[in-house]
Structure formats: C-alpha cells, structure tokens
Amino acid sequence: MAPHISCFFLVAFFSAGCQVITSSDQRCIEKEANKTYNCENLGLSEIPGTVPNSTECLEFSFNFLPTIQNTTFSRLMNLSFLDLTRCQIYWIHEDTFQSQHHLDTLVLTANPLIFMAETALNGPQALKHLFLIQTGISSLEFIPAHNLKSLESLYVGSNHISSIKLPKDFPTEKLKVLDFQNNAIHYLSKEDVGSLQQATGLSLNLNANLITGMEPGAFRSTVFQSLNFGGTLDLLIIFRGLQNSTIQSLWLGTFEDIDDGKELSDSMLEALCEVSVESINLQKHHFLNISPNTFHCFTSLQELDLTATHLKELPTGIVGLSKLKKLVLSANKFENLCQISAGSFPSLTHLYIKGNVKRLELGTGCLENLENLHELDLSHDDIETPDCCNLQLRNLSHLQSLNLSYNEPLGLRTEAFKECPQLELLDLSFTRLHVNAAQSPFQNLYLLKVLNLSHCLLDTSNQHLLDGLPALQHLNLQGNPFPNGNIQKSNPLQTLGSLENLTLSHCDLSSIDEQAFISLKIMKHVDLSHNRLTSSSIEALGHLKGLYLNLAFNQISIIPSGLLPILSQQSIINLRQNLLDCTCSNIYFLEWYKENVQKLEDIEDTLCESPPALRGVRLSDVTLSCGITAVGIFFLIVFLLLFAVLLIFAVKKFLRWKYQHI
Amino acid sequence: MNSFAAALLVWILTSPSGSGHGRGEGWPIHMACSSGGLEVFYQSCDPLQDFGLSIDQCSKQIQPYINIRFGIILREDIRKLFLDIALVAKGSSILNFSYPICEEDQPKFSFCGRRKGEQIYYAGPVNNLGFEVPPGKYHVLLELYNENRATVACANATIICS
C-alpha cells in the first residue's frame, strides 16, 4: 500500500508543479509591490485582476486591445505611466483615460490607429509625454489637442507626416521635444517653422527625413535647444535655411546606409557665418579638403564632433576654433597624434580620439599647447610604446581624466604620469602594462581617486606598484593574477589608506592572508567574486564594517561559527554560486543565513552543493534538525533508567550468588 | 514497482515538454541566399518571434559591403545596439567577435534610435570585409542586443559552401 500512496503523491506533486509553471506564464510580473507591474508579451485582452487598483506604472506592451474605451482602464486611477506599445489598438474611444488624472506618460507606439475620439485624451491633468511613433498617422490633426496643455514631449516618428506645421490650436507653451524621426518631410517653409515659435528651448528631431528643400531663412530669428537633420544629403540647403538662427546643438551627421552626399567644402560652410551654434556634429561626412579657413565661421562654436569623417590630418593654423572647448576626432585615420595640429585649439578642455582606424603613434609633445585640457580619451587606438607617458603627455598639467584603455602594451616606469599631476581618473583597462620590478608608475598622483587596472596583466608581486596614491578611492584589479593565487600580508594594496572600493574578481585567488587588508580601514565595497576562495579568506575582512561584500562564484563550503560575526557586521553580502554545505557540520552558518536574509543578495541563486539530496535547493529553504531533540532526550533517559535498573538487578543477583557459594 | 512506473508514465505524459505546447518546435528554417556555391540558412533563436533576412549577391567569394534586406519587430529600444558573432566549424570555435552598430556617440546606421514596438525594414549595405569562404559546413550564431543585454534578434545560421 505504501508505495501506491507515495506514487500518488509523486504524481500530485509533479502535476502541481506543472500547473504552477503554466499559470505563471500568464502572470504579470510585480516589479514594485502595488505600484509597478510588467504584463508584456502575455496576449492579454484586458487588464488582469492581479494588477491592483493602486498601480502607478503599467508596462502592457505586446498584448491585444483592438478597442480601448472608458471602461478599459477605469479602475486604475493612480496610473502615471502607461505603455501600450504594439497592442493592436485600432480605436481609442471617448473618455478612455477619464479616470487617469495623474497620467504623465502614454505610449501608443506601433498601434494601427484608425481613429482617436475628440475626448480620447481627456482626463489626465498634466499629460507630459505622448508617444505616437509608427501609428500610421499622416497629419498632426489626427491627435486630439484639447487636453495637451502640459505636453512636454511629442514623439511622432516613423509615420507618414510630410509637414512639421502644427495645427492652429496645438498647445506649444511647454513643449520641449518634438520628434519627427523617419517621416516624409522633404520641405520646410517659414510658415512651418513659424508654427513652433511659441515653444522656447525646443529640441526638434528631423533625423532620417530626406530634406531636399528649405525656404532660405526659414529659421530666421528662432532659438532652438537642438536641431537634428541626420542623414541629409545636401547640407547647403540646411545652412541657408538656418541663417540668423540661434542653436545650442546642431546634429548634421550621416550614416553608412545613406549614399555619400555632397562633400563639405569651404564655400558651403561659409553659409554658417550667419548662424549661431554652440555644438555641431558632422559624423561620417567627407570633407573636400580641410584648409585653415574651413571653420572660420565657427567662431562661437564650443563643441565640434568629427567622428568617422575620414580624416588623415588637420592643417596647422586653423582659424575660427580658438574658443573650442570640446573636440571629437574618434574613428578617423590619423597615424600620429601630431597630425591633429593641436595648436589650433588653445582653449580645448575635452579631447576624444578613440577607435582610430590605424595604429596611432603618440609622438612627443603633440598636445603640449593644450594647457587647459581636462579630459583626454585615447582608448581603442592600438597605441604601443615601451616608455609611457611623460614625453607623450608633455605639459598637460591640468589633465584630470585620462583614458588609455584597450590599447597595445605600454611600458611604464616610476612616475610615468609626472606631467599630469592633477589626474583624478586613470583608465588603463585591457591595456597590457609592463612595469619593471620595484618601479612605482603612479607615484605622486596625489589627487588620483579612480584607477582602473582591470586585465592589465600586472606583476602583482611588485610591492611598490601602487605606491604614492594617497587619495585613491576606487581601484579595479579585475583579471590580474596574484603569485600562487595568494594575497600575502605584504602586498601592493597596503599603501592605499583611502581606498573605499576594491575589485579583485577573476584574479584566480585561492587564499587571502588574515592581515592582507589591515591598512585598508575605510573600505565600503569589496568584490572578490569569480575566484577560488574558501571561508578562511573571510578573516581578512575582520576589521571592516558595513561592507558591500561580493563573494559570488567562489568555493566557500563550510563557514565556521567563529567567522559569522565578521559577516554580521557587513551590510550586504552575495554568496551565490559557491559550494555551500547544507549538513549539520554547517548548522551555525545555516541558522545565521536564515536570520540575516535581509543582508543577502541573490538569495534565489544561493544554493546548497551538498549533501546530494539537497543539491540545488535554496539555502533559505533548508531546515535542518541537528543535535538531540526532546523525543530523543526522553528515549535516552528511559534507556539509561532501564539500563541502571538492569545493572542494579545484575549486581544484586551476582552478590546473592556469591554469598550462596561462600 | 509497477505503480511507480505508472506514476512516472503519467508524469512524463503530463509534463510540459511531453504534452507538446509547441514550445520546443521553434521557428521555421529560412534560406537567406543560395547561389554561386554558397547556401545560407537561418532560424530565429528568439523564443518570442521570427525575423526576415535575405542577402544579395551570394557567392563563395564574399564581396565587401554586401547588401542585405532585413525585417523585424523591435522588442527593445535600439539607441544602443550590438552584434555578437560566433563561428563554429566541425564542432570547434573558429571566431568570436562583437561589433557595435548603434552607440550614443556614434550611431552608424539611420535606424539607430528607433523604439520598442517599431517594425523595421532595412535594405542596404553592411560594412563587412571581403573574403573567400573555404568549402565546408559552418554554424554561425548571431545575436543583436542592447545595452541591457536584452535580445533584439537571435539567429542560428548554417552556411554550406561547396
């Protein structure tokens, strides 16, 4: 009989499991209790009962709502964000959102709308963001404008709109973003642009519209936060239309899939003399030739982005860019850093030359005129040099941020960054560094706060590697091996008294000496994940409190009771993917774990490794009874009593027997 | 023991994989191109949807900047979009690489910046290198994903070069 019952239970158990799996497929995901729910991709045709009335944020994309009307959302009165992307909505009837007074953002992207009723958007007191991307509309008249007084952004990309002209009564007082990306706008007239006059600080996006004509001076005496004409073939049309306008940021780049338009010539850019622009982007354009005179109209320009503009060099003595603050020359074809002729940009504070197509030679003193340079990005440039970086960065005494990540091997000697004593951030990740024994390349970087040395394949046995960094707060040493997988008592980290954040993941560590971090007294964040550490390494953290401690992907099995106080004094601990033991030999830790669940991260993936019966079970679900239970004690006492009685009997019998035989 | 076997049978029959909810079948295998001694087949490995792809000028001698046609519904915004390619032949990995298509500071294509839900049709060049495919059978895993590593498209492709 017994096996029958157990099999019945087995079947019941598994089928119950399956039920849960299938029904959970149809459930919305609770992201924040009573507030945020995600019901994407569930094929729902109504708001399910599991979404409470108090919901504020509802992600409902990829469902099925052919018609929405005043009953559809009526009970969700607190909604502030509603995403109805691609719900096959054809009709939006009268008063659909009448009870959503707090609705702030409405996303109707990719619905084949046939009609929106005149009062469809009535209800919200301050609707700020409306997305009508790819809804098939050909005119802005389609949008009921009654209740859009608070509108800040309107997205109508990927439609069939051919004019940016706003309808007569369309409210524009608060409008900041008007996005017409990928429509059929080919011509802009004065009247079209005039309809936007009421809006101040507007960003107008006309990316991927083939503008073939513009009324000269169409933007006369207008002020725009940003204008995007991405993908336009003939920029001269744009330049003429923008005469006498003021624009903060002008995006005029093109793309790989757009035929090369007209090459930019000096005479074309001449038209920009009457435009006031602060920031301009010309990515992927071809210059006919860049002469010192090319940019002479850019006198007010502060930012120039020439990403992937096929540049091999810039001429010396460029006129007009003396006020330029930020220059982007990424993804070009320079061979030597001196070819950018840095002398033309004396005010430059930010310079980005990353992803150069050719191997970039840093040369000597190529940037020495850039006395004000604060930020320099030279990543992904195949830079290789046996002795970096004092000659190369000569005179950059104000440099605060330097990125040399993803380059070829660099050789560093003591005080390698002597020319940039103000450095606060230095990124050398994924660049192999050659540092000879006992050299201290970062010596005297008194202000350095952040140092990324991940995957630099450093020689960590060099005790002086990190000498001279009194202010260092963040250090990333991910992927650097330590000798014998061990961090000893004397190690290069001991000099970093200000360190708060230390990453030692993927360092192939198997042990850490108890005293290894003893001089690091104010650490807040320690990442030791993806190593081969066992619980004994926890002792090295004994003097630290309130840590975020990541020990995921290690080989921790049993944590003795003596180490638990060290864990207790930390604030968040991650122990997922370890070889945790769930037998009675680890009972103190298991009990501690259950009492401190609020401190633990990724509890869903923190699983038992042994015994085999509990393998893969969440630690938080394990209940062990170790030691002797009450019933056990009762039986033990009974047994002992019986044994004592028996013994007394035996002794009595033995003595009597002895007496009788005297 | 008999009843145990029966119970096991019942479980197998009622378990999701056994009862054929249609999940394991996957999307149909499509042909992206077939000519000049080269055949390219692919299957979408995104459980949510299929996509369409065709490659112009298919040949053993792959030309640089080949044109493709590509149609898909976006499940994510693609202001940032990356491509991973893993090439396997005879069970061993030959090549893995990752390539940015759309980035904030360098949107390479005109479709960069389009939004979740949008239907996209792209007919145009991909800036590939030209090379000759040695005869053989290759498996390629292609993945398009955004900055959160959320899948935009996933394809299991087979390339047969004779």
Side-chain angles (χ1 to χ4, degrees), chain A residues 76-89:
Chain A
L76 305 175
M77 292 174 53
N78 291 331
L79 274 185
S80 69
F81 174 92
L82 179 59
D83 183 354
L84 296 172
T85 296
R86 204 166 273 275
C87 283
Q88 300 180 51
I89 302 169

Side-chain angles (χ1 to χ4, degrees), chain A residues 69 168 361 539:
Chain A
Q69 53 201 335
K168 219 175 167 188
E361 293 284 339
E539 287 190 65

Side-chain angles (χ1 to χ4, degrees), chain A residues 320-361:
Chain A
L321 296 179
S322 57
K323 285 188 193 161
L324 198 70
K325 292 264 189 308
K326 179 176 160 185
L327 177 62
V328 185
L329 293 170
S330 302
N332 280 303
K333 298 172 180 167
F334 301 106
E335 281 175 0
N336 192 301
L337 194 54
C338 284
Q339 289 170 332
I340 72 159
S341 306
S344 309
F345 322 106
S347 308
L348 217 57
T349 57
H350 294 72
L351 177 62
Y352 304 88
I353 309 174
K354 58 177 182 173
N356 197 54
V357 177
K358 293 187 172 169
R359 170 167 290 200
L360 187 67
E361 293 284 339

Side-chain angles (χ1 to χ4, degrees), chain A residues 275-279 297-303 320 323:
Chain A
V275 187
S276 163
V277 191
E278 261 186 36
S279 158
C297 285
F298 289 57
T299 43
S300 60
L301 202 68
Q302 301 205 355
E303 297 183 15
K323 285 188 193 161

Side-chain angles (χ1 to χ4, degrees), chain A residues 375-393:
Chain A
E375 190 172 337
L376 177 62
D377 188 340
L378 293 169
S379 57
H380 296 271
D381 283 340
D382 284 343
I383 294 168
E384 181 168 9
T385 171
D387 186 9
C388 203
C389 296
N390 287 323
L391 288 174
Q392 293 84 348
L393 304 179

Side-chain angles (χ1 to χ4, degrees), chain A residues 340-561:
Chain A
I340 72 159
S341 306
S344 309
F345 322 106
S347 308
L348 217 57
T349 57
H350 294 72
L351 177 62
Y352 304 88
I353 309 174
K354 58 177 182 173
N356 197 54
V357 177
K358 293 187 172 169
R359 170 167 290 200
L360 187 67
E361 293 284 339
L362 290 182
T364 303
C366 295
L367 306 177
E368 63 188 346
N369 295 319
L370 305 180
E371 282 166 11
N372 300 310
L373 201 65
H374 284 95
E375 190 172 337
L376 177 62
D377 188 340
L378 293 169
S379 57
H380 296 271
D381 283 340
D382 284 343
I383 294 168
E384 181 168 9
T385 171
D387 186 9
C388 203
C389 296
N390 287 323
L391 288 174
Q392 293 84 348
L393 304 179
R394 198 154 75 195
N395 205 27
L396 296 181
S397 57
H398 288 96
L399 201 65
Q400 291 172 354
S401 165
L402 175 62
N403 189 346
L404 281 166
S405 62
Y406 294 91
N407 278 302
E408 294 299 310
L410 302 181
L412 302 179
R413 295 186 192 168
T414 295
E415 293 197 55
F417 300 93
K418 199 177 175 182
E419 293 284 329
C420 340
Q422 310 258 0
L423 270 186
E424 289 179 17
L425 185 151
L426 178 58
D427 188 349
L428 291 160
S429 53
F430 290 90
T431 297
R432 190 173 186 154
L433 299 178
H434 294 302
V435 181
N436 286 338
Q439 301 262 314
S440 313
F442 311 110
Q443 186 87 50
N444 297 339
L445 290 176
Y446 294 113
L447 303 174
L448 197 72
K449 290 197 179 84
V450 183
L451 179 59
N452 189 345
L453 295 171
S454 57
H455 301 275
C456 289
L457 302 175
L458 284 160
D459 173 17
T460 48
S461 62
N462 176 0
Q463 299 298 324
H464 301 286
L465 186 67
L466 300 168
D467 281 5
L469 293 168
L472 196 70
Q473 292 173 355
H474 299 260
L475 175 64
N476 189 339
L477 280 171
Q478 177 174 323
N480 289 290
F482 279 75
N484 305 320
N486 172 263
I487 304 186
Q488 292 170 335
K489 188 185 172 188
S490 58
N491 62 64
L493 302 169
Q494 295 281 28
T495 59
L496 306 170
S498 306
L499 203 66
E500 292 179 9
N501 190 320
L502 175 64
T503 302
L504 287 167
S505 55
H506 294 277
C507 288
D508 203 22
L509 295 173
S510 52
S511 63
I512 300 174
D513 186 89
E514 200 184 326
Q515 305 280 312
F517 300 144
I518 200 73
S519 35
L520 312 179
K521 294 198 169 72
I522 54 167
M523 282 212 288
K524 290 175 181 159
H525 188 116
V526 177
D527 184 353
L528 295 166
S529 62
H530 295 273
N531 284 301
R532 292 179 287 128
L533 297 171
T534 56
S535 59
S536 59
S537 301
I538 294 172
E539 287 190 65
L541 307 163
H543 62 296
L544 295 164
K545 289 193 172 75
L547 277 184
Y548 167 85
L549 175 61
N550 191 346
L551 287 164
F553 295 90
N554 274 294
Q555 296 184 355
I556 296 168
S557 152
I558 293 177
I559 302 183
S561 59

Side-chain angles (χ1 to χ4, degrees), chain A residues 175-210:
Chain A
L175 206 59
K176 297 281 174 234
V177 176
L178 193 49
D179 190 331
F180 285 103
Q181 207 179 142
N182 193 38
N183 270 291
I185 297 157
H186 305 311
Y187 189 80
L188 296 173
S189 68
K190 274 184 186 166
E191 199 190 343
D192 292 342
V193 182
S195 72
L196 311 175
Q197 272 301 9
Q198 293 281 311
T200 47
L202 188 67
S203 293
L204 177 64
N205 187 353
L206 290 164
N207 190 35
N209 284 281
L210 280 177

